Amino acid sequence: MTTHVVPDARTAGSLVAERIARLVRAVPAAVIGVATGSSPLPVYRALADLVDGGLDLSRVTWFALDEYVGLPPEHPESYRSVLDRELVAPLGLDRLRVHVPEPGSDPYAAAAAYEADIVRAGGIDLQLLGIGGNGHLGFNEPGTPFGIPTHVAELTHATRRDNARFFPSLLEVPTLCVTQGLGTIGRARAHALIATGEAKAAAVAAALTGPVGPECPGSLLQRCPDVFVALDDAAAGGVEPTGQEIDAVR
Ligand code: F6R
């Protein structure tokens, strides 16, 4: 695990975008897992600049981490719409190469089909992740077993409250989702975690330096062989820079 601590979210995003670009230059048909939410936005902006500079993403296949159950794909806050807006349009991607779970009327079948799609694509080369204030990865909330595949999950009240900022009211935040499981996420060949802001400091410290176990889903990353972490100063608050594990870029 290499952990980079930088002054702001924009720089953290650029570092992660460079990590992604390094993969794509080596493996043009890479399979990349992508996240929604606020954390990855600086990554997508920096990637758009790299595309303007000539980075070719045309052969990459993309898999979203998760999707709400109960929102039609055209709802502005469905993760399909968010990725159309934040990833597909600015990077000029072929929308058909960006896979998002399609819960429709049978989320359980959709979860199984999504897991099968990832396997058929050869697995994920690099999974981009944010982390919840409670340590969740994707929508794998604390207590979720590490080995679980893509599944239907219930959002905790804390997560629904965190995500209420995207909806007119808390009542409209869905209660269920289809999410890549921790088993799916853990099988990715490499990971890039971006976390910014003080509200993430405790979760980052628990994930990177706390005990490994389902109580902190993010601690799964301590078991993964190739993890690139980019934090701003505020999110790194609880992480002690140590030896070569922490590569402070200042
Ligand atoms: C997003 C996802 C979530 C978020 C996490 C952090 O696809 O699965 O795990 O990464 O909730 O969200 P933000 O970045 O909005 O703080």
Side-chain angles (χ1 to χ4, degrees):
M1 183 181 291
T2 56
T3 303
H4 302 264
V5 181
V6 295
D8 52 57
R10 189 162 164 270
T11 314
S14 299
L15 287 182
V16 174
E18 264 309 326
R19 172 70 186 88
I20 292 172
R22 184 151 48 88
L23 167 69
V24 176
R25 288 185 195 112
V27 184
V31 179
I32 298 179
V34 282
T36 48
S38 306
S39 308
L41 298 181
V43 179
Y44 302 149
R45 286 188 199 119
L47 265 181
D49 290 343
L50 290 173
V51 168
D52 286 345
L55 179 69
D56 180 4
L57 297 175
S58 63
R59 294 177 60 202
V60 174
T61 301
W62 310 83
F63 280 94
L65 269 174
D66 39 26
E67 178 59 288
Y68 291 119
V69 171
L71 295 187
E74 60 279 7
H75 186 287
E77 293 308 328
S78 76
Y79 285 167
R80 164 60 79 186
S81 293
V82 171
L83 287 171
D84 278 348
R85 227 166 31 233
E86 307 292 355
L87 184 77
V88 173
L91 276 64
L93 303 180
D94 173 356
R95 190 173 185 268
L96 296 177
R97 299 188 76 92
V98 183
H99 301 266
V100 183
E102 294 175 5
S105 58
D106 188 348
Y108 296 91
Y114 199 67
E115 182 79 14
D117 286 348
I118 292 174
V119 171
R120 204 172 306 116
I124 290 176
D125 291 305
L126 175 72
Q127 177 65 56
L128 173 61
L129 296 165
I131 188 167
N134 63 2
H136 72 214
L137 293 184
F139 280 128
N140 295 274
E141 302 285 13
T144 308
F146 273 4
I148 196 167
T150 301
H151 62 284
V152 178
E154 202 168 330
L155 275 59
T156 60
H157 180 67
T159 296
R160 292 185 65 239
R161 211 183 39 217
D162 283 350
N163 290 6
R165 68 191 191 277
F166 298 114
F167 292 85
S169 77
L170 178 61
L171 278 177
E172 277 148 278
V173 183
T175 54
L176 294 177
C177 65
V178 171
T179 180
Q180 285 190 38
L182 292 172
T184 324
I185 293 170
R187 272 192 301 279
R189 289 179 275 280
H191 299 79
L193 170 69
I194 179 165
T196 53
E198 201 184 334
K200 298 296 172 68
V204 164
L208 304 189
T209 65
V212 177
E215 283 320 306
C216 179
S219 67
L220 171 75
L221 294 173
Q222 294 183 45
R223 294 214 179 137
C224 297
D226 181 352
V227 183
F228 183 99
V229 181
L231 308 171
D232 69 356
D233 283 323
V239 175
E240 280 296 312
T242 51
Q244 60 183 41
E245 193 177 316
I246 307 292
D247 171 17
V249 180
R250 287 177 190 275

